[in-house]
Amino acid sequence: MATPKPQRSPEEIEDIILRKILLVTLATPAHGADPRIIYLEMTAAEILSEGKDLRLNRDVVERVLIDRLSGEFPDAEAPFTYLLGCYRRAVDELKKVANMKDKTVKSQVEASIKQAKKLFVNYVRIHLGNPELFPSNSQSLAGKSTICSLTPLIFGAVDRSGFGGGGGSQPPPPGFLDELFSEADFDSLDPIFKGLYEDLRGHVIKLSALGNFQQPLSALLYLVKLPAGAKSLVNHPWWIPKGAYLNGRVIEMTSILGPFFHVSALPDHTIFKSEPDVGQHCFSEASTRRPADLLSSFTTIKTVMNNLYEGLSEVLLTLLKHADIREHVLQYLAEVINRNASRAHIQVDPISCASSGMFVSLSAVMLRLCEPFLDPHCSKIDKIDPGYVFYCNRLDLRGLTALHASSEEVAEWIKNDSSGKADINSGSGDIENRVVQSQGASSSGAKPASSGGKASYAFISECFFMTARVLNLGMLKAFSDFKHLVQDISRSEDTLSTLKALHEQSPSPQMQMDIARLEKELELYSQEKLCYEAQLLRDPTLIKQGLSFYRLMVVWLVSLVGGFKMPLSSTCPMEFSSMPEHFAEDAMELLIFASRVPKALDGVILDDFMNFIIMFMGSPTHIRNPYLRAKMVEVLNCWMPRGSGSSATTSLFEGHQLALKYLVRNLLKLYVDIEFTGSHTQFYDKFNIRHNIAELLEYLWQVPSHRNAWRQIAKEEEKGVYLNFLNFLINDSIYLLDESLNKILELKELEAEMSNTVEWERRPAQERQERARLFHSQENIIRIDMKLANEDVSMLAFTSEQITVPFLLPEMVERVASMLNYFLLQLVGPQRKSLTLKDPEKYEFRPKQLLKQIVQIYVHLARGDKENIFPTAISKDGRSYNEQLFSAAADVLRRIGEDGRIIHEFVELGAKAKVAAIEEMDSEAALGEVPDEFLDPIQVILG
């Protein structure tokens, strides 16, 4: 029979297991033993000198562990790696011990292993907090970099939980991170958290949207969900960096959260360029790529950016749930906003301002924070305290241009207003009930204090006004940058086309270099454009969230004047008057942009925007800036139904009560107001603005209810707004047609120069290039001016059919007649042949159509002329009137097939004008010469 195996004592079993876990021995290791096992000779000698057995147990395990960590052993594992290995082996041994049959031994060994596990975690903390305490053979793990050993474990944990980016990091031993972060006081954990945050920041600082930012972001979220982690983050010196040279870019690149917000697909300054290069990787030589490839790139970028937005939103929401941390978060957001205020400028310094990428991401995150109070009924609107703008010092809102009030008026009003200070805490409450309810956060009931601690506001107010500022500096600024980029591309393409045409005529090395440079520039522009498109235009969710926010904004602004009702009071409440102008302007800009993005307005409620526009478009007493009111017309112009049939926005124009009553009136009023904007470019600006108004008015004239309103206004205001409207319409018509016809003559001269090939080739290349540019510039001016002139003449034609009285007022009739005579002279007079163009349609020059409309106006006014004053007014025009023009025009009209009745009435009017002219001459002859005593002395001298 075989000799039975001797039974080991519990102490022996404990010793064997602890030696296996710690990889140490107190006896000389046998030949061929695991090379990782360290012989603690000095420790063994000390234990023997104390008369104890050379066995590991719970009484000596900490002593052995310290000696192992403190000793300098060749080829030994670094302290962190060693301690982690010990913990991992302890977990494995606990699983084995669980199967022991002897409950007494099992209990004793389990207790010993669990105690050892706690020691390993404690010494990991000690080592991470004091890396110089234990020697390390690996210099790369010395100092702060010791913390970096912990980061991959967190990556492994978040990868396994499904949060990470699938970076393939090894997960930590089960329970290790929980014990490390939960069973210790804040002071021992704080340096570990701070080191981890710095390491995570370093992981993303140079990453673009195509980099693996998701793993560090998930790790960040994991850490801030730990109470000590959240506290440590907001107390980190880099939470809000300090220093004399602090600016928006410094906050972006050096704060802990800044580099996470910097991750983007949008282009940035070369110094701060991220990798991989999104434009180069996804959109290089885009014109040669398959549409499916481009679509795939768009989808990828949209998906990863939304992952970033969601992750950062959850990080901020997690922090905001803690009442003692919330103030730090608001301070950080305020610092980012205030330090980047100059992003609102047309020219932005990329060295001192944060990137568009950061602010677009911040825009998306802030909109997500606002979601709980962006409900369709605007039910939380009363929680938005206008006093925040005037009395809260967290954001510099008082320094912004106001809707109507001057900065001096705002300051004086705040000084005198006592009621605003009385109940400043009204509406304050807990963030959880109001903002984080959809995330299931618990209530703390805390009230966040404003900067300076003098007053506090409900989180809804804080969030609302901060979001308004962020969107202004972020998403709206990015839309503006995109628009300018598209314009730059268009200009460069025109220049390239001109250069290529010149190069074909007379090649030169310099021109070839210029062409190559422009082509390279256009390739980079194209990549940037597609990056913007991918992150902004292809994300309808982002645009719709923005529209939801601005719907609340306009409803809230209207509440400051008493709600949606017309007519407005002649005096504007100071609360409304003093609100930042960009609150309304950004709403209009977003509506314009969204209107040009397919399906972006699908499902969006536009009625409140329409109400806002109709209320304030014609009210300079409420919104001082005429350009802002003109922007409202641009919005309406985007919504205007095109072509036959109805569109999604038809009901806004044809079934909206405020629109039916006030839209035409306010458009006519704005047409007049825009004459004087106060800008040095007002003369040219007014034409573009009136172009938008004219397009709208032409559409509204086709709608019977609006046409009736128009006729009523013309009757009520025939010596007021409507008379002014006609005056400016006639002024514009004369100027634009005159300018266009003169430019046509100049263009023909240039055309003649260029067609004389021999002479043209003799000129220097630079001169030819400049003349060619001038030619294209003149072409564009003629095209624009003719288009505007056609609109104005068309409006005079269709309105004069039903509204004639204002045209025939004594103060107007001669001006109208002179204008018509002048147009007639240009179109059928002796100079008409000099206006012949090879391709008149290219320049919107339609002389036949123009002549028809001019004649129609003559006839319409003759029909309404009950007192027969119009023929006399026609004949009195000494500059342009000529009886022969009427017969010449009639001949042309017959050739082009105008209605015979119109021609007949026009010829009759010409005959009446001729009779009036003869009568005028006869009456002058009958009067004879004026006696000298009635003449002005100067006239006598000059005579």
Side-chain angles (χ1 to χ4, degrees):
M1 287 182 67
T3 307
K5 193 173 182 180
Q7 191 75 22
R8 287 196 177 103
S9 68
E11 290 75 16
E12 289 175 314
I13 295 171
E14 182 181 9
D15 171 54
I16 292 167
I17 291 174
L18 287 176
R19 278 191 284 116
K20 196 187 292 187
I21 292 170
L22 288 160
L23 290 179
V24 296
T25 180
L26 298 177
T28 307
H31 180 70
D34 187 337
R36 296 177 300 165
I37 294 174
I38 301 295
Y39 173 35
L40 298 177
E41 188 176 0
M42 295 296 292
T43 310
E46 288 175 10
I47 290 173
L48 281 173
S49 70
E50 293 167 6
K52 297 177 182 176
D53 293 333
L54 288 179
R55 284 179 181 163
L56 293 187
N57 56 48
R58 69 180 68 185
D59 296 329
V60 300
V61 71
E62 184 169 10
R63 178 179 176 178
V64 168
L65 181 61
I66 291 171
D67 287 350
R68 163 61 185 81
L69 292 169
S70 303
E72 296 187 13
F73 305 103
D75 303 322
E77 290 180 304
F80 181 82
T81 310
Y82 170 70
L83 288 166
L84 184 66
C86 289
Y87 189 96
R88 199 182 297 276
R89 290 186 288 275
V91 171
D92 292 341
E93 290 302 321
L94 270 177
K95 289 177 185 175
K96 296 173 186 175
V97 169
N99 296 322
M100 283 185 175
K101 293 178 182 176
D102 188 326
K103 292 186 177 179
T104 305
V105 174
K106 176 183 172 183
S107 175
Q108 181 178 334
V109 174
E110 273 184 344
S112 184
I113 295 173
K114 286 177 180 177
Q115 180 196 345
K117 272 179 65 189
K118 283 185 182 295
L119 284 173
F120 301 147
V121 172
N122 286 338
Y123 278 89
V124 164
R125 277 195 218 101
I126 291 167
H127 171 59
L128 292 175
N130 306 275
E132 71 287 344
L133 201 59
F134 301 121
S136 173
N137 292 328
S138 173
Q139 290 305 308
S140 65
L141 291 176
K144 283 189 177 180
S145 60
T146 306
I147 296 285
C148 299
S149 306
L150 185 57
T151 308
L153 295 182
I154 298 173
F155 287 167
V158 295
D159 285 350
R160 207 161 113 186
S161 66
F163 286 120
S169 300
Q170 186 180 6
F176 174 75
L177 293 178
D178 291 340
E179 287 190 54
L180 177 68
F181 291 127
S182 59
E183 298 179 10
D185 61 278
F186 176 75
D187 290 340
S188 62
L189 287 174
D190 187 43
I192 299 173
F193 280 122
K194 282 183 165 56
L196 284 169
Y197 290 131
E198 290 166 26
D199 193 30
L200 293 176
R201 172 190 162 278
H203 271 79
V204 298
I205 197 163
K206 283 289 184 182
L207 287 184
S208 73
L210 299 180
N212 179 19
F213 65 83
Q214 297 189 56
Q215 216 175 34
L217 179 58
S218 298
L220 175 68
L221 181 58
Y222 172 86
L223 294 176
V224 299
K225 284 187 172 179
L226 303 166
K231 182 180 177 182
S232 180
L233 175 59
V234 298
N235 286 287
H236 195 293
W238 296 353
W239 172 249
I240 301 177
K242 303 288 189 292
Y245 299 102
L246 185 63
N247 60 35
R249 182 64 80 162
V250 169
I251 288 181
E252 177 180 27
M253 304 314 290
T254 61
S255 69
I256 299 296
L257 291 186
F260 286 93
F261 281 104
H262 180 256
V263 173
S264 175
L266 300 182
D268 196 4
H269 191 276
T270 312
I271 298 173
F272 310 105
K273 204 165 181 66
S274 303
E275 295 294 337
D277 186 320
V278 177
Q280 189 66 33
H281 188 80
C282 296
F283 304 120
S284 61
E285 298 178 355
S287 58
T288 63
R289 296 195 179 210
R290 295 184 309 146
D293 293 339
L294 288 175
L295 190 60
S296 174
S297 295
F298 287 143
T299 303
T300 299
I301 291 167
K302 184 180 81 170
T303 302
V304 297
M305 289 312 301
N306 273 281
N307 289 342
L308 176 72
Y309 303 154
E310 289 296 338
L312 288 171
S313 300
E314 198 169 350
V315 167
L316 289 189
L317 279 169
T318 302
L319 294 171
L320 288 164
K321 289 176 189 177
H322 302 279
D324 55 335
I325 288 172
R326 189 178 311 137
E327 176 62 17
H328 293 279
V329 178
L330 296 174
Q331 284 175 357
Y332 173 76
L333 294 172
E335 192 74 7
V336 170
I337 292 166
N338 292 332
R339 294 284 179 178
N340 285 285
S342 58
R343 274 188 55 81
H345 299 167
I346 295 172
Q347 294 293 329
V348 176
D349 177 12
I351 307 300
S352 62
C353 286
S355 65
S356 289
M358 177 182 191
F359 264 84
V360 169
S361 294
L362 189 55
S363 297
V365 169
M366 294 303 295
L367 286 171
R368 280 164 169 77
L369 294 183
C370 292
E371 272 180 357
F373 58 85
L374 297 182
D375 60 288
H377 304 294
C378 302
S379 58
K380 303 290 176 64
I381 195 170
D382 60 320
K383 306 297 182 188
I384 302 169
D385 186 351
Y388 188 95
V389 173
F390 313 118
Y391 306 113
C392 181
N393 295 320
R394 196 189 300 284
L395 298 179
D396 182 18
L397 296 172
R398 292 186 297 277
L400 300 172
T401 302
L403 284 169
H404 192 275
S406 66
S407 55
E408 294 78 16
E409 287 170 335
V410 174
E412 183 65 23
W413 179 68
I414 292 171
K415 182 180 175 183
N416 296 332
D417 180 45
S418 56
S419 61
K421 302 169 189 173
D423 190 23
I424 206 157
N425 289 318
S426 173
S428 292
D430 55 274
I431 174 183
E432 290 80 5
N433 282 344
R434 294 180 176 175
V435 179
V436 203
Q437 55 193 2
S438 59
Q439 283 75 23
S442 60
S443 171
S444 71
K447 296 179 181 179
S450 71
S451 182
K454 293 181 181 177
S456 62
Y457 292 88
F459 178 79
I460 288 180
S461 286
E462 297 267 18
C463 191
F464 177 79
F465 290 108
M466 283 191 176
T467 302
R469 290 295 291 135
V470 167
L471 290 174
N472 175 255
L473 303 174
M475 187 166 75
L476 272 301
K477 178 62 176 171
F479 287 152
S480 174
D481 291 344
F482 175 74
K483 183 173 73 175
H484 291 135
L485 177 60
V486 171
Q487 290 168 350
D488 289 342
I489 290 173
S490 178
R491 279 192 290 268
S492 295
E493 285 174 340
D494 287 346
T495 305
L496 182 62
S497 176
T498 304
L499 282 177
K500 283 183 173 179
L502 288 169
H503 187 61
E504 282 179 15
Q505 293 174 8
S506 53
S508 75
Q510 181 59 47
M511 205 170 289
Q512 185 61 50
M513 287 170 62
D514 290 344
I515 288 170
R517 176 184 55 77
L518 257 180
E519 286 177 336
K520 186 177 179 182
E521 195 176 275
L522 272 168
E523 167 64 17
L524 292 175
Y525 276 159
S526 171
Q527 290 178 21
E528 290 185 10
K529 175 178 174 284
L530 290 167
C531 287
Y532 273 101
E533 188 174 337
Q535 191 168 335
L536 292 172
L537 277 72
R538 298 277 175 162
D539 190 353
T541 303
L542 178 62
I543 295 174
K544 286 185 177 178
Q545 286 173 329
L547 289 169
S548 292
F549 176 82
Y550 282 111
R551 177 174 170 264
L552 175 64
M553 173 65 79
V554 299
V555 172
W556 179 75
L557 285 173
V558 166
S559 73
L560 300 180
V561 297
F564 288 115
K565 57 186 179 184
M566 290 284 279
L568 284 168
S569 167
S570 57
T571 56
C572 180
M574 273 302 289
E575 274 191 341
F576 179 90
S577 178
S578 306
M579 282 298 144
E581 182 182 86
H582 81 74
F583 286 4
E585 185 171 12
D586 291 347
M588 298 304 110
E589 288 284 9
L590 183 57
L591 285 168
I592 291 166
F593 194 86
S595 298
R596 292 166 183 164
V597 177
K599 300 185 178 179
L601 291 180
D602 288 1
V604 177
I605 303 168
L606 298 176
D607 295 70
D608 291 322
F609 291 116
M610 188 69 169
N611 285 330
F612 182 85
I613 289 169
I614 292 168
M615 285 179 71
F616 298 109
M617 178 177 62
S619 180
T621 56
H622 288 74
I623 295 181
R624 186 190 299 275
N625 185 351
Y627 291 103
L628 173 50
R629 291 185 285 122
K631 210 171 283 291
M632 297 177 186
V633 176
E634 200 174 340
V635 174
L636 297 180
N637 203 268
C638 291
W639 292 350
M640 186 175 67
R642 311 278 172 176
S644 58
S646 64
S647 70
T649 54
T650 301
S651 62
L652 286 175
F653 292 95
E654 301 182 19
H656 191 286
Q657 289 308 306
L658 278 183
L660 293 172
K661 191 170 183 182
Y662 292 100
L663 183 52
V664 171
R665 181 183 297 273
N666 286 347
L667 284 170
L668 295 173
K669 191 171 186 309
L670 184 57
Y671 193 101
V672 172
D673 291 345
I674 213 67
E675 181 73 16
F676 306 106
T677 64
S679 165
H680 66 284
T681 59
Q682 67 180 12
F683 181 77
Y684 300 100
D685 295 337
K686 68 181 180 183
F687 294 118
N688 290 327
I689 296 165
R690 285 174 177 168
H691 160 68
N692 288 328
I693 296 175
E695 284 198 332
L696 273 166
L697 287 172
E698 186 171 357
Y699 157 67
L700 294 173
W701 185 262
Q702 311 304 317
V703 181
S705 49
H706 284 296
R707 187 164 62 245
N708 291 336
W710 193 328
R711 290 165 64 183
Q712 186 63 30
I713 294 160
K715 188 176 179 181
E716 292 171 2
E717 298 278 351
E718 71 176 27
K719 292 204 174 184
V721 169
Y722 202 77
L723 189 65
N724 290 333
F725 162 70
L726 280 184
N727 255 315
F728 291 132
L729 182 58
I730 290 167
N731 286 348
D732 288 359
S733 302
I734 294 169
Y735 171 80
L736 290 166
L737 194 62
D738 202 30
E739 188 77 359
S740 304
L741 299 179
N742 288 332
K743 292 288 183 196
I744 286 174
L745 297 176
E746 291 175 20
L747 188 75
K748 291 191 75 174
E749 286 180 18
L750 284 168
E751 209 170 38
E753 281 181 31
M754 295 166 73
S755 61
N756 187 344
T757 314
V758 177
E759 287 295 323
W760 181 251
E761 292 296 333
R762 286 178 184 164
R763 297 189 180 195
Q766 187 174 349
E767 185 186 340
R768 290 201 306 272
Q769 194 172 327
E770 286 172 2
R771 298 295 281 173
R773 283 201 182 108
L774 178 60
F775 181 80
H776 291 302
S777 171
Q778 298 286 58
E779 282 191 315
N780 288 332
I781 291 170
I782 293 168
R783 192 180 300 114
I784 293 166
D785 284 355
M786 272 317 312
K787 183 179 176 64
L788 298 175
N790 288 336
E791 282 176 352
D792 288 349
V793 173
S794 176
M795 202 183 322
L796 287 168
F798 66 71
T799 56
S800 62
E801 186 174 13
Q802 296 191 26
I803 302 170
T804 57
V805 173
F807 290 93
L808 298 170
L809 289 170
E811 54 266 55
M812 280 297 293
V813 67
E814 290 187 11
R815 288 203 67 227
V816 173
S818 296
M819 175 195 72
L820 294 173
N821 291 345
Y822 175 70
F823 287 168
L824 202 62
L825 175 65
Q826 299 300 320
L827 293 171
V828 297
Q831 298 292 320
R832 69 180 184 279
K833 289 183 180 178
S834 61
L835 300 174
T836 306
L837 290 168
K838 290 178 184 175
D839 184 8
E841 193 63 35
K842 176 183 176 183
Y843 306 104
E844 306 269 345
F845 183 42
R846 306 179 186 99
K848 294 175 184 176
Q849 176 66 20
L850 206 52
L851 179 61
K852 280 186 176 183
Q853 289 178 324
I854 296 297
V855 169
Q856 283 169 8
I857 299 168
Y858 271 117
V859 171
H860 293 159
L861 297 184
R863 287 173 181 171
D865 182 17
K866 307 303 181 190
E867 298 178 15
N868 204 34
I869 60 171
F870 190 41
T872 305
I874 292 171
S875 65
K876 277 186 176 180
D877 174 20
R879 188 180 73 148
S880 304
Y881 171 69
N882 184 329
E883 63 183 75
Q884 295 175 358
L885 294 177
F886 282 79
S887 55
D891 291 341
V892 174
L893 290 172
R894 291 186 189 98
R895 288 201 301 273
I896 62 176
E898 177 59 290
D899 186 318
R901 192 161 55 93
I902 293 283
I903 298 172
H904 176 71
E905 290 182 54
F906 176 65
V907 170
E908 274 192 350
L909 176 62
K912 287 181 181 179
K914 182 178 177 181
V915 169
I918 293 169
E919 288 175 354
E920 179 71 16
M921 288 173 64
D922 289 346
S923 64
E924 284 185 8
L927 287 171
E929 293 292 328
V930 179
D932 287 349
E933 61 265 26
F934 292 103
L935 286 174
D936 183 6
I938 292 176
Q939 290 291 336
V940 174
I941 295 167
L942 292 174

